[in-house]
Amino acid sequence: MRVSPLTPETFADNARAALADATLTGALRRATDTFAERRAAAIGAVPDWQELRTRAAAIKAHTLARLDAYLEEFTANATKAGATVHWARDAAEACAIVRDLAQARGSKRLVKSKSMATEEIHLNAALAQDGREPVETDLGEWIIQLAGETPSHIIVPAIHKTKEQIGALFVDKLGIPPSSDPQLLAAEARTRLRAHFAAADLGISGVNFGVAETGTILVLENEGNARMTTTLPAVHVAVMGIEKVIPRFGDLETFLRLLPRSGTGQHLTTYQSMLTGPDPMGQGPRELHIVLLDNGRSRIVADELMRQTLACIRCGACLNACPVYQSIGGHAYGSVYPGPIGAILTPQLQGLHSAGTLPFASSLCGACKDVCPVKIDIPSLLLELRRRAVAGEQVPAAPSRGAAPTTSKPARRKPLEALGWRVWSWVTRSPARFRLATAFARLGQKLPFAMRLFGPMRAWQSSREAPKLAARPFRDRWRGDAR
Amino acid sequence: MNARAAILGAVRDGLRGASVPPLPPPVEPPAPLAVAERIARFTAVQQKLGGVVEAVADRRAACARVGLLLAQKGAAVVAASDAPLLAGLGDYVPADVALLPPDAPRERLLQADIGVTGAQWGIAETGTLVLASADERHRLASLLPALHVVVLPVRALLGTLGEAFAALQRDGAPAARTITFVSGPSRTADIELTLVVGVHGPKALHVLLVRDDG
Ligand code: SF4
């Protein structure tokens, strides 16, 4: 059972509710601070960090500009290695492919390792319709699944939960004695999930990188659950966004240097599994299926300005660096991808009509751009999406299949706001009117309650400080001193 | 139109006329580190990650050390790979310990307390063991038991990730169909970012560096 998730439409209310939750904001503050420190320490030890970023960004820009050719090369080589490659235009198609595979193989026990692509297509819910809901095996994801919630961070799904809350959840769902010791809770997870791994007949994973030159997929992790998921069941299904392909096997080195350091501050995560076809040694799955997922990505590829969105390697650094994410957490975004990357990606995947609020959920401070290992210019993309939302432009550019193009609501300013701007324009066109108006404003500032009573100012000031007007305007001082 | 044609068509149409920035040339692997430096770095990083590194003289000494470890840890079931370095392990396994080969039934392998395998390479910079499955069946023995013991020839210890990626490619193909990088015991920080060592993978890692593997 899942708690009905929030949506981007109600972002402002979601954010207000999050801010009022002291447990949540405390947990977020501790976690994002810790992440930022670890990341800084890890990249401080890499002398050529900026060159690495430039290199990674260049590899991604090149690959995305020739994505069709690289996808064909990847498919040919993966197929040659014995994998079966499937193509899914949207979430429904991707889910149907996995459902059919499970059905045809008679799979009964499914396990899954953490994957944002499968969250995006809501694969668990689809499989649950056939009574085949996979067991999440990443500790954080398992906690979320037990709680019936959704992840709130792309690296640490249960970042919003305290150990006390998790302890209480385990008492409630697993009937174990109360404990809030992470060591004990993790040990419990190991024991419980072992039984699932042992019995599983189909394993589902995501893909961090797919290598065109070799048809290899790489899955990285720390816990060993992805190794279990991609080793023990007879069938392995890997869901991979089409933007995950990179040209050469050797390019993995560049991304392996960047991703763990940016995400968790590790030099390398504990495990990287590089799988080229099914296991020929009888030690792993007999079948490997790779589901290539479009679900809006081909439209983003076609949009030259926005294409760099697809360079994202899902490290989570922009979430940890973002003052908005730090304050409200992931759920308030009402989208599978939260934080700065979510604010640019979700409106492009879902359309501005339903996620058009998200590009506005930023102070444009640029912290995300500074930390991004593939140098995505997130603030510029946020501005462009704001412009499109206000202009009522169509985003994404053109759908790949019959569905009606999604258009954001044509911009219509609220009547009061429109009047306000007209008055402003009238006032500022005459020096005398401007002087008079600022004199009134200065008077008004002496009576703060008056400002707050004033309709539009009240809304604006609910989350901002109004700038203070100087007691004596510069204009007057200039004249006085010049004399 | 099938999905493949539709997606590739949409991507191709969307990219028509797009300028293609150049692909950066491959990275040149850096100059190799001296052996002593490689051993020192590998050991230091492994220790930081929670692993143990020990040096042994040769393959006989390695098998003897593994035998001793099995006795010390009170292991009942041991899963071993078919690494050539471990060929003589049977002689050193205590009589009351069951030694499972790589193709033992899954149910048995899941019961193993200790897994003993070789590794094809080590990477000093990151404290990594590279398990490439072309010539050794070590995928299960390195994953299922709570303690993973690895024998690694010093000769196979590389300096950097760059050297490893150079070694891992043969004519544009990966050196093996399954390649696993292992850097320390399994870990999680999913609960309040508190580090817990030992989750689903091995809880402990013990590396025996074999000086002379001839
Ligand atoms: S946008 Fe950049 S910083 Fe954010 S998750 Fe993606 S790669 Fe990481």
Side-chain angles (χ1 to χ4, degrees):
Chain A
M1 193 216 56
R2 296 224 143 181
V3 179
S4 80
L6 303 170
T7 67
E9 274 104 330
T10 53
F11 176 79
D13 294 336
N14 307 346
R16 249 188 297 278
L19 285 169
D21 183 341
T23 315
L24 173 70
T25 51
L28 280 169
R29 174 59 62 183
R30 276 192 302 278
T32 51
D33 282 357
T34 308
F35 261 141
E37 279 162 31
R38 288 183 190 168
R39 178 190 165 277
I43 70 163
V46 183
D48 58 345
W49 183 252
Q50 296 308 333
E51 285 146 57
L52 266 176
R53 290 175 74 209
T54 306
R55 184 182 168 76
I59 294 173
K60 281 288 188 179
H62 167 85
T63 317
L64 290 169
R66 295 198 46 196
L67 189 61
D68 50 333
Y70 282 120
L71 282 171
E72 288 192 288
E73 189 185 350
F74 172 80
T75 306
N77 288 320
T79 309
K80 205 161 67 192
T84 311
V85 179
H86 308 258
W87 298 73
R89 276 170 281 210
D90 52 29
E93 271 188 8
C95 290
I97 291 167
V98 185
R99 283 172 77 173
D100 290 350
L101 277 170
Q103 176 81 38
R105 305 292 178 288
S107 310
K108 292 196 180 63
R109 313 279 302 260
L110 279 62
V111 286
K112 182 160 159 286
S113 62
K114 204 174 89 60
S115 135
M116 292 310 296
T118 58
E119 290 288 337
E120 177 188 325
I121 61 175
H122 302 292
L123 180 59
N124 285 5
L127 285 162
Q129 288 176 28
D130 310 327
R132 289 196 175 93
E133 174 156 15
V135 176
E136 293 287 353
T137 59
D138 169 84
L139 178 55
E141 285 284 350
W142 189 56
I143 292 167
I144 294 301
Q145 189 175 42
L146 285 177
E149 295 179 11
T150 55
S152 69
H153 189 285
I154 62 180
I155 301 289
V156 196
I159 201 171
H160 59 286
K161 282 191 147 12
T162 63
K163 56 184 191 286
E164 289 77 18
Q165 290 172 328
I166 296 167
L169 176 72
F170 279 25
V171 171
D172 182 31
K173 301 282 173 175
L174 309 172
I176 64 161
S179 166
S180 59
D181 177 1
Q183 200 88 39
L184 284 176
L185 299 172
E188 186 65 26
R190 178 183 171 100
T191 314
R192 301 267 174 165
L193 288 169
R194 276 269 141 162
H196 290 291
F197 286 127
D201 41 25
L202 190 143
I204 300 167
S205 78
V207 172
N208 292 100
F209 303 98
V211 181
E213 175 183 65
T214 59
T216 307
I217 56 172
L218 182 142
V219 181
L220 57 82
E221 52 143 351
N222 277 311
E223 296 182 1
N225 66 304
R227 285 181 74 194
M228 292 282 208
T229 301
T230 61
T231 299
L232 288 176
V235 182
H236 171 199
V237 182
V239 181
M240 168 177 161
I242 55 172
E243 82 282 20
K244 295 282 175 204
V245 68
I246 57 172
R248 298 163 302 201
F249 192 75
D251 294 328
L252 287 173
E253 185 207 340
T254 300
F255 291 103
L256 286 184
R257 285 185 186 279
L258 287 164
L259 176 50
R261 286 183 171 91
S262 301
T264 52
Q266 292 171 283
H267 294 192
L268 212 51
T269 56
T270 307
Y271 303 121
Q272 284 77 33
S273 300
M274 289 165 244
L275 309 169
T276 313
D279 193 295
M281 311 279 284
Q283 293 263 297
R286 288 192 302 270
E287 292 178 48
L288 170 61
H289 295 268
I290 302 170
V291 182
L292 286 174
L293 174 70
D294 182 341
N295 207 30
R297 288 162 174 79
S298 59
R299 289 187 305 244
I300 306 178
V301 170
D303 191 328
E304 204 185 332
L305 269 173
M306 307 305 293
R307 190 182 300 146
Q308 56 172 314
T309 309
L310 297 176
C312 173
I313 55 173
R314 309 276 189 269
C315 71
C318 58
L319 278 60
N320 305 328
C322 176
V324 177
Y325 181 90
Q326 286 170 359
S327 309
I328 61 173
H331 286 150
Y333 291 82
S335 112
V336 170
Y337 302 100
I341 179 60
I344 58 171
L345 183 58
T346 304
Q348 297 184 73
L349 293 176
Q350 293 183 2
L352 282 168
H353 62 291
S354 69
T357 52
L358 297 185
F360 294 88
S362 166
S363 66
L364 300 178
C365 70
C368 48
K369 181 183 173 183
D370 290 345
V371 298
C372 178
V374 288
K375 290 183 142 179
I376 301 175
D377 188 356
I378 299 175
S380 296
L381 300 188
L382 287 168
L383 274 177
E384 172 62 15
L385 287 170
R386 288 183 186 185
R387 191 193 64 71
R388 291 185 191 183
V390 171
E393 275 178 34
Q394 174 178 306
V395 165
S400 62
R401 202 157 54 133
T406 44
T407 311
S408 69
K409 261 186 227 116
R412 200 175 304 134
R413 280 209 185 106
K414 291 183 204 106
L416 196 57
E417 190 185 337
L419 179 69
W421 285 114
R422 235 174 294 133
V423 171
W424 169 260
S425 134
W426 179 75
V427 165
T428 51
R429 261 179 289 139
S430 136
R433 288 198 290 263
F434 187 73
R435 250 193 315 273
L436 196 66
T438 45
F440 268 119
R442 221 165 289 119
L443 204 64
Q445 269 194 339
K446 299 221 175 81
L447 316 161
F449 65 91
M451 296 294 281
R452 259 175 243 132
L453 284 177
F454 192 42
M457 285 306 281
R458 187 174 53 200
W460 194 83
Q461 280 197 295
S462 69
S463 55
R464 296 174 188 85
E465 279 293 325
K468 287 257 177 312
L469 293 170
R472 191 167 164 232
F474 177 73
R475 191 183 54 238
D476 294 355
R477 281 167 52 198
W478 175 260
R479 259 195 228 117
D481 294 349
R483 232 171 255 153
Chain B
M1 192 162 36
N2 70 23
R4 175 186 169 143
I7 295 169
L8 283 173
V11 171
R12 204 168 293 132
D13 289 348
L15 288 172
R16 191 151 291 145
S19 60
V20 182
L23 179 64
V27 194
E28 290 296 323
L33 302 172
V35 177
E37 171 75 354
R38 276 178 264 162
I39 295 176
R41 278 227 217 159
F42 180 80
T43 309
V45 178
Q46 267 296 337
Q47 274 166 359
K48 217 188 283 170
L49 295 172
V52 178
V53 181
E54 241 182 277
V56 291
D58 54 22
R59 59 165 72 205
R60 287 236 338 255
C63 290
R65 183 70 186 102
V66 173
L68 200 63
L69 266 173
L70 302 184
Q72 281 169 355
K73 305 277 175 189
V77 184
V78 174
S81 76
D82 45 6
L85 268 179
L86 296 170
L89 181 62
D91 299 343
Y92 296 92
V93 172
D96 53 347
V97 175
L99 183 64
L100 304 176
D103 53 1
R106 287 287 163 85
E107 312 80 73
R108 288 292 283 151
L109 289 171
L110 275 158
Q111 288 161 359
D113 313 297
I114 299 183
V116 188
T117 76
Q120 279 53 51
W121 290 280
I123 309 172
E125 180 191 18
T126 48
T128 303
L129 296 156
V130 180
L131 312 182
S133 69
D135 307 307
E136 185 180 344
R137 287 179 292 171
H138 44 17
R139 200 166 167 183
L140 294 166
S142 65
L143 174 62
L144 301 179
L147 169 62
H148 179 200
V149 181
V150 190
V151 289
L152 175 73
V154 166
R155 182 181 47 78
L157 184 56
L158 306 170
T160 58
L161 202 58
E163 284 175 63
F165 271 95
L168 277 170
Q169 287 169 88
R170 290 176 191 157
D171 313 317
R177 296 277 291 273
T178 308
I179 299 170
T180 311
F181 282 7
V182 176
S183 311
S186 73
R187 54 163 66 198
T188 186
D190 271 355
I191 300 175
E192 285 195 2
L193 294 191
T194 307
L195 176 66
V196 176
V197 174
V199 210
H200 302 298
K203 298 177 182 177
L205 182 66
H206 201 117
V207 185
L208 301 177
L209 278 177
V210 188
R211 266 184 238 117
D212 171 16
D213 59 301

